[in-house]
Amino acid sequence: MKVRRLLVAAASALLLLTPATAWAQQVAYAASAVAELDSATRAAVDRELGRARSRGLPVQPLVAKVREGQVKRAAPERIRTAVSALAARLDSARAALGPTSNAGEIVAGADAIATGVGMSTLRSVRAAAGVRDLSAPLGALAQLVASGVPARRATAMILELLKRDTGPRDLLAFGNAVESDVGAGVPAEESAVFRLRAIESQGIGADRLTVTAPGVDPTALSGRPGANTGGTTVKRKP
Amino acid sequence: MHDETDETIIRIAAALRPLPEVDPARKARVLVAVAAERERTRERRLRIARAWRVAAGTAAVAAAAFVAAVILGTPRRAAEVPASARSASMPARRDAESVAAAARLATDAKLGGFKTVQVVLRAPSARRVSVVGDFNAWDSGTDEMSRDPVTGLWSHTLALRPGRHVYAFVVDDSVWMRDPRSPEAADADFGRPGSVLLVGQP
């Protein structure tokens, strides 16, 4: 009888192990990241990870945030705050984008929220995109807003591009081009309007044009990673 | 005095020694091949890990079924699963995996796949340099840079998806250094800015 009980326990353990293998790998990955934290921070981070996991939120970005804090030698309190803030943003993004949104969309939504994009905006982008993946549109939106394009204007542009069925490739190029222009001294909104018009009227991919601000040597930009090269050079009037 | 002269001569000789010219197109091809090989190795590792998981899972289920059969004293039940159900369930699982893989490939193709980017840092006295960023979850053990013994330049080739990436260098496991050649990426969380890498289409 005792042997039988042992066998039942062993069978149950084995059955439990099967689906838990992948989960265990995730836990091991997370554990390796939080291992170096002090006990109070580790407990707080573990709680956040557990809460995120139970709510079906992606855990990997939270673990990456811990690693980022560690590699930047941030104070434990700061790591704890950053992880909590990111968890809250992921939660808000999922609430706005809907329960069927995938991990990429939730992360992109959280990034957009971090730049100041509101939840109602995320909802309107979801409504405009339907079942299409939102990672690229939201990534581009976050990039535009972070570059200095007013959130309302940036949202209108992204919605316009979605209405035109612009693909993820062009959306990513649009965000990159505006950020690159702003880095070169072009005002954010001006660059965004120009890039958008180029996509709409000429069908030219945003990464095929070079915008140069006055006093900036275009050749100096070409060596920079992500800087646009080739294509037409349009110089802004002083 | 002799040492100083020798050192000067060595420095002059090193400066005058021309580097062999490399065809940029050939160099790009090599970089792409290296990145592709890295990606293949990564996928091979993932496949092996998945195979181990499946094997472990199958073994666990088989062992559990065997133990349950012994306990319940009805060993036939395990074998009474219709052959049609068995044969149908396995290909279904395989198909699900291949569909998932195809979907992933389709997404990658839609985004233009990966693009190789070489990052370079001059740190002649460093003993170890890593590049960290959102692409490797800020893990300093993932992308270690290698040092050119002649120039002292540290370099590493990354295979990145198109889009915006934030990165920095970690020197000797302790010094945080952003790339001075790239635009700064603000950091509201930890106050240690990184650099922005805008990756276009391959």
Side-chain angles (χ1 to χ4, degrees), chain A residues 25 65 72-73 179 226, chain B residues 53 164 173 183 187 189 198:
Chain A
Q25 281 181 336
K65 185 57 78 180
K72 290 179 174 178
R73 302 194 170 254
E179 184 169 350
Chain B
R53 274 207 303 276
R164 182 185 196 269
D173 294 318
D187 175 20
D189 287 327
L198 298 176

Side-chain angles (χ1 to χ4, degrees), chain A residues 180 184 210 216-230, chain B residues 115 117-120 167 179-183 196-198:
Chain A
S180 187
T210 302
V216 176
D217 175 12
T219 54
L221 298 171
S222 60
R224 204 158 51 78
N228 300 310
T229 52
Chain B
K115 184 171 184 177
V117 177
Q118 190 182 34
V119 286
V120 180
Y167 73 105
D179 190 340
R181 298 187 316 150
S182 298
V196 178
L197 196 54
L198 298 176

Side-chain angles (χ1 to χ4, degrees), chain A residues 4 7-8 11 14-15 18 21-22 25 29 60 64-65 67-69 71-74 78-79 82 89 136 143 168-169 172-173 176 179-180 207 223-227, chain B residues 53 57 60-61 63-64 67 70-71 110-112 132 137-140 162-164 167 170 173-174 176 181-183 187-192 196-201:
Chain A
R4 198 172 261 209
L7 287 170
V8 170
L14 283 168
L15 282 171
T18 312
T21 316
Q25 281 181 336
Y29 172 68
Q60 201 273 341
K65 185 57 78 180
R67 278 198 193 281
E68 184 185 350
V71 82
K72 290 179 174 178
R73 302 194 170 254
R78 230 166 154 172
I79 294 178
R89 288 198 298 271
Q143 219 169 349
R169 182 190 172 104
L172 288 174
N176 275 1
E179 184 169 350
S180 187
D207 54 344
R224 204 158 51 78
Chain B
R53 274 207 303 276
V61 170
V67 172
V70 169
I71 293 163
K110 209 158 56 181
L111 292 175
V132 291
W138 303 94
D139 186 352
S140 59
R164 182 185 196 269
Y167 73 105
V170 178
D173 294 318
S174 58
W176 176 265
R181 298 187 316 150
S182 298
D187 175 20
D189 287 327
F190 305 115
R192 303 204 80 173
V196 178
L197 196 54
L198 298 176
V199 179
Q201 307 303 319

Side-chain angles (χ1 to χ4, degrees), chain A residues 65 82 86 91 125 137 141 211:
Chain A
K65 185 57 78 180
L86 177 56
D91 211 2
V125 175
L141 176 61
V211 180

Side-chain angles (χ1 to χ4, degrees), chain A residues 76-91:
Chain A
E77 179 57 40
R78 230 166 154 172
I79 294 178
R80 200 188 312 174
T81 308
V83 170
S84 298
L86 177 56
R89 288 198 298 271
L90 291 170
D91 211 2

